[in-house]
Amino acid sequence: MKNQYHKTITACFLGYIVQAIIVNFAPLLFLFFQRTYGIPLSQITLLVTFNFGIQLLVDFLSVGFVDKIGYRVSLVAAHILSAAGLILLTILPDVLPSPFAGILIAVMIYAVGGGLLEVLVSPVVESCPSDTMEEEHSKEKAMSMLHSFYCWGHAGVVLLSTLFFRAAGIENWKILAVIWALIPIGNALLFAKVPIAPLIKEGETGLGLKELFRMKLFWILLIMMVCAGASEQAVSQWASTFAEKGLGISKTAGDLAGPLAFAVLMGTSRVFYGKYGDKIHLERFMVCSSCLCILSYLGISLLPLPQLSLIACAVCGLSVGIMWPGTFSKAAAALPRGGTAMFALLALGGDVGCSGGPTLVGMVSGALGDNLKMGVLTGTVFPVLLLIGILLCRKVKREC
């Protein structure tokens, strides 16, 4: 049976590619939607907030229903909803009286799928039996490798969609949306068959919300997840704008020089730990990564040449790679009875950080006359807090 779990892990890897598709595909079409359907930019930008808000809500609500209906049903449903949302995106704007309402409904449907994937996929990988003696290292490596697939999915969606739009024309985007929808459909069939190990050992029960909330260690891990999401997205979301403004290059070149370079280096960091994690102490790697992240934030903010600041943006991608999967692994090892509730709340914390980081950078930048460098400088607080959290974790575990 252990060999069969390799198929489970493959399905989980594909699940994160699905997550990357539903998060990153529609934003490539925002300006096209604005022109074609006459939707104001203010409404278009609301789609990102709406997608994120639905995922946050699902993160929270999943604590109450995932264990009742089971992981397999939940995972298959997540993929079906993801595919349905992508397909409905090609239909609803043209058949409903309000094109924006059609887009909003489609986004809502695939956002529910995305929220479920975020909660479910990591614990399924964590529950898979290890094939090696160094079980802890093996799980940490698998978790890091898993999260690298979101990065490769992000890079793939941007690159392949850009190539498709160049070759077939952006007006044929509906064909591409249906092609992307085939991935979650195929993965739903895979999850219907692969073995899924129980998250909690037989005879044990998972921790409830009240028990988790009483634990100092859980609160430290939750704050670390918020900071991991914020450290990642505070730079990633602004990298394209930074490249365009600082270097005076086009939107396409800005996307390639900014967020794509960031995503590739973030994925490289995760693959590196996924391959060599048995030789590297996770906590030490996270401490070094946090220090490098602080230096990259300072480099983006304080280096005088825009080219150097852009290199610092890319280095930031390398530095944040281990933060999210590393915190998940630390939580799973420190609180083995955490169960669905713990993973759902950690995903919720990560999503809060993913929204809060770019928001803080944007607000500070706007208050200082669109000074993006000062906004990013303020964001240095996130990797600093993450570093403090790692050190506090060590102290609290010693006291336990």
Side-chain angles (χ1 to χ4, degrees), residues 256-290:
L256 295 176
L260 192 63
F262 184 98
V264 168
L265 282 168
M266 183 164 69
T268 302
S269 167
R270 289 172 175 175
V271 168
F272 175 79
Y273 189 81
K275 192 168 176 60
Y276 300 107
D278 52 344
K279 299 181 179 71
I280 305 165
H281 190 272
L282 176 62
E283 194 172 277
R284 200 172 299 133
F285 192 54
M286 288 181 74
V287 166
C288 292
S289 293
S290 299

Side-chain angles (χ1 to χ4, degrees), residues 29-207:
L29 298 163
F30 281 174
L31 291 178
F32 181 78
F33 287 159
Q34 184 192 10
R35 290 195 305 269
T36 307
Y37 298 116
I39 301 169
L41 199 58
S42 57
Q43 286 188 337
I44 291 286
T45 53
L46 182 67
L47 292 172
V48 175
T49 309
F50 185 70
N51 184 351
F52 168 77
I54 293 290
Q55 292 204 42
L56 269 179
L57 185 64
V58 172
D59 289 348
F60 181 72
L61 295 178
S62 61
V63 176
F65 69 80
V66 165
D67 285 330
K68 289 175 185 172
I69 66 174
Y71 269 66
R72 189 182 305 281
V73 173
S74 301
L75 278 161
V76 171
H79 284 84
I80 290 170
L81 288 165
S82 299
L86 286 166
I87 292 166
L88 288 171
L89 192 64
T90 70
I91 300 168
L92 294 181
D94 295 319
V95 299
L96 292 182
S98 165
F100 178 70
I103 295 169
L104 205 61
I105 292 167
V107 168
M108 179 183 72
I109 291 167
Y110 69 54
V112 173
L116 281 171
L117 286 172
E118 192 155 29
V119 170
L120 299 166
V121 174
S122 291
V124 168
V125 168
E126 189 63 39
S127 70
C128 286
S130 174
D131 287 330
T132 64
M133 293 301 289
E134 300 94 349
E135 185 167 336
E136 188 179 326
H137 281 306
S138 182
K139 287 183 184 294
E140 290 168 359
K141 287 166 66 178
M143 189 69 76
S144 185
M145 195 68 82
L146 167 71
H147 285 264
S148 78
F149 273 78
Y150 177 84
C151 307
W152 307 133
H154 180 184
V157 168
V158 174
L159 275 175
L160 295 175
S161 298
T162 301
L163 290 172
F164 179 91
F165 296 151
R166 283 287 174 90
I170 197 167
E171 64 276 5
N172 290 311
W173 67 272
K174 291 180 181 181
I175 298 169
L176 184 60
V178 173
I179 292 169
W180 285 130
L182 294 175
I183 296 176
I185 291 168
N187 214 33
L189 296 173
L190 198 53
F191 266 117
K193 296 177 181 178
V194 297
I196 297 175
L199 192 58
I200 305 295
K201 289 178 183 175
E202 202 171 334
E204 293 184 356
T205 54
L207 296 171

Side-chain angles (χ1 to χ4, degrees), residues 315-327:
V315 171
C316 186
L318 196 67
S319 71
V320 298
I322 194 61
M323 291 177 176
W324 188 296
T327 305

